[in-house]
Amino acid sequence: MLTLVSCVGRVVVLLAAVSVTTSITMSGEWGEEGVTYAQLGKEVILTCAGASPGSSVEWRWNGGPVLPEDSAVQAGQLLLSHPQLSSEGVYSCHDTSGVLLSSTVLRLGRLPGKPSILCTAPNYEDLSCFWASTVETFLPTRYITSYRSGSLDVASKKQRSAPIVEGPCIQDPAHPFSCTIHQSMFWSGYWINVTEVNPLGSNFHLLNVIMQGIIKPDPPEHLRVEPVPSVPNRLQVSWEYPSSWTKEFHFLLKFRLRYRPVTSTSWAMVETANVSEVITDAFLGLLHVVQVSAKDFLDAGSWSEWTPEAWAMPATGQTLVPSETATAAIKAESPAEEPSLAPNNGPIGHSDPTEKVAVLVSLGVFAFFVLAVILVFAFLMWVRMKKHSKEATKNHDLLAAAIHMKALPKAQIL
């Protein structure tokens, strides 16, 4: 439930948006002079500006005497009762001798709808928002974008200690329908305001976002896949952090590596915190497709998009960078293709470290089971010996009692 302060905050944001909208609408920057904007399906009344009161005028549409079907002339004014897009055009009024008195261009459209917004952060310093119009207005449209850090509910104790920052969300003309907040605050919440404005009015959308919830890194860069010359069924894969990621040691990424032979549609997946991996189960003689994506190491936000595909063939294959076409990749499947001459910068030994770890783990598991069997066997032997000891003690007691009874005189026994 919204508090009074929260409601006041929303009203302030709305008034700010409306005030800017009003200044833009009244400035006459929506198009050339002499344009009239009206709503589709709503009654439109055009007045002949140069006519004297009570004088007879003639209306023309696009230079001709034929007017739209739903039009009527009343007291020198032109009435369009239910105009459609087909009713747009140049309307001019003339006196009885045909002299032009005034003209206007009629453009029809709709009021703006509430824009839809999606915000993501490629790092912990820059927040980008993207929006789309929910109503096709058919009219020129502008967008006002701004932000406010923290909650609109300033009575919250958690927000009271945090500084409140307000400002414009910067729009880049080269990337329409998007804006960016630079130097955003780590672990902060933001209210994003996107107001859609056209000559008929405005509408806005307030979106609350939290940085760690919208983190989505850009895809890793410089993905490279190389065959391992002296080791079959191996592909060396390496990549780099995205250049847009925060350059701080405590902001780490983890990665997903997926790969498959071109003849298969199923992906194998590996997750790692390293920037290189060795594929140990590649199929000899088959071209493989490799991609990598990234995510915040602490699992905040979502995974990045996949990198462009990289192609390579184990041992005798040719390495292809992502920019090369699929046609070249298919050619690499030919047995007549020469091996890749690309240098192999990854450490290559006579045995794979992964295999060493697997062998050690297997030996450890085997030793554990052997030890467990020995302990169980020893326990069973101990139980058995204890049981025999109890039986021997019992027999000894019976024998002693019998000897004692035999030594007693018969009179005592009776």
Side-chain angles (χ1 to χ4, degrees):
M1 185 176 180
L2 291 175
T3 64
L4 177 60
V5 178
S6 176
C7 293
V8 171
R10 288 178 179 268
V11 171
V12 169
V13 174
L14 176 59
L15 289 177
V18 171
S19 63
V20 178
T21 301
T22 304
S23 63
I24 293 177
T25 304
M26 299 301 292
S27 65
E29 297 178 357
W30 289 107
E32 58 184 1
E33 223 172 302
V35 178
T36 300
Y37 297 96
Q39 289 189 57
L40 276 168
K42 301 289 185 179
E43 184 180 79
V44 177
I45 299 177
L46 299 178
T47 303
C48 186
S52 302
S55 62
S56 177
V57 298
E58 175 190 352
W59 282 93
R60 297 177 186 178
W61 179 36
N62 294 326
V66 180
L67 299 174
E69 293 181 0
D70 61 343
S71 63
V73 178
Q74 297 179 357
Q77 296 179 326
L78 178 62
L79 173 65
L80 302 175
S81 59
H82 195 74
Q84 301 300 313
L85 288 176
S86 59
S87 304
E88 290 185 328
V90 180
Y91 289 83
S92 57
C93 61
H94 305 256
D95 61 15
T96 53
S97 60
V99 176
L100 175 65
L101 299 176
S102 66
S103 68
T104 186
V105 176
L106 178 63
R107 292 201 58 183
L108 300 168
R110 300 188 180 99
L111 286 166
K114 182 179 180 179
S116 61
I117 313 175
L118 173 65
C119 294
T120 62
N123 52 58
Y124 281 103
E125 295 179 349
D126 300 301
L127 187 159
S128 298
C129 292
F130 308 86
W131 62 86
S133 177
T134 57
V135 174
E136 188 176 9
T137 64
F138 304 105
L139 296 176
T141 303
R142 292 190 178 94
Y143 294 92
I144 304 166
T145 53
S146 60
Y147 74 92
R148 173 192 176 104
S149 69
S151 171
L152 287 180
D153 185 2
V154 295
S156 172
K157 294 181 179 178
K158 186 177 292 186
Q159 296 295 337
R160 197 177 295 169
S161 59
I164 302 299
V165 180
E166 297 178 335
C169 186
I170 306 301
Q171 300 183 45
D172 183 358
H175 301 88
F177 306 104
S178 67
C179 67
T180 302
I181 302 171
H182 298 290
Q183 302 299 320
S184 54
M185 292 183 290
F186 180 51
W187 300 114
S188 293
Y190 287 87
W191 282 96
I192 309 298
N193 167 44
V194 176
T195 301
E196 182 176 336
V197 185
N198 72 16
L200 299 179
S202 65
N203 207 334
F204 74 100
H205 187 177
L206 283 176
L207 178 67
N208 184 227
V209 297
I210 301 175
M211 282 294 290
Q212 65 267 29
I214 61 171
I215 286 291
K216 183 179 181 180
D218 289 329
E221 299 176 356
H222 305 128
L223 174 62
R224 188 166 186 83
V225 187
E226 299 174 335
V228 180
S230 60
V231 185
N233 305 102
R234 300 288 186 271
L235 287 173
Q236 179 74 40
V237 186
S238 62
W239 59 89
E240 295 179 8
Y241 270 56
S243 56
S244 59
W245 187 250
T246 306
K247 305 299 188 297
E248 298 289 346
F249 72 93
H250 48 273
F251 291 112
L252 300 178
L253 292 174
K254 60 181 179 180
F255 303 94
R256 287 186 307 181
L257 166 68
R258 72 176 185 180
Y259 59 95
R260 63 176 176 83
V262 293
T263 56
S264 173
T265 57
S266 299
W267 294 92
M269 192 89 69
V270 176
E271 189 168 315
T272 178
N274 302 320
V275 290
S276 66
E277 279 292 328
V278 176
I279 297 175
T280 60
D281 57 352
F283 291 92
L284 187 64
L286 285 181
L287 193 67
H288 286 68
V289 185
V290 180
Q291 289 180 297
V292 180
S293 68
K295 189 179 183 181
D296 180 84
F297 186 77
L298 298 179
D299 221 30
S302 57
W303 286 96
S304 74
E305 301 297 330
W306 292 101
T307 60
E309 294 178 345
W311 309 68
M313 185 184 297
T316 59
Q318 181 184 15
T319 301
L320 300 179
V321 296
S323 60
E324 294 182 275
T325 62
T327 304
I330 295 174
K331 290 182 180 179
E333 294 185 74
S334 173
E337 196 71 50
E338 295 183 0
S340 171
L341 298 179
N344 182 18
N345 297 324
I348 302 172
H350 294 288
S351 61
D352 184 25
T354 307
E355 292 182 350
K356 290 182 179 180
V357 173
V359 170
L360 291 175
V361 172
S362 300
L363 290 175
V365 173
F366 178 76
F368 174 80
F369 279 110
V370 170
L371 180 60
V373 170
I374 292 173
L375 291 174
V376 171
F377 180 78
F379 177 77
L380 293 175
M381 291 298 295
W382 176 78
V383 171
R384 185 174 181 180
M385 290 177 64
K386 189 174 181 181
K387 183 178 180 182
H388 281 300
S389 176
K390 287 182 178 180
E391 289 179 356
T393 302
K394 183 178 180 181
N395 292 336
H396 180 270
D397 293 339
L398 290 174
L399 181 60
I403 294 172
H404 178 70
M405 292 289 293
K406 187 175 182 181
L408 291 174
K410 291 183 178 181
Q412 291 184 5
I413 296 175
L414 295 174

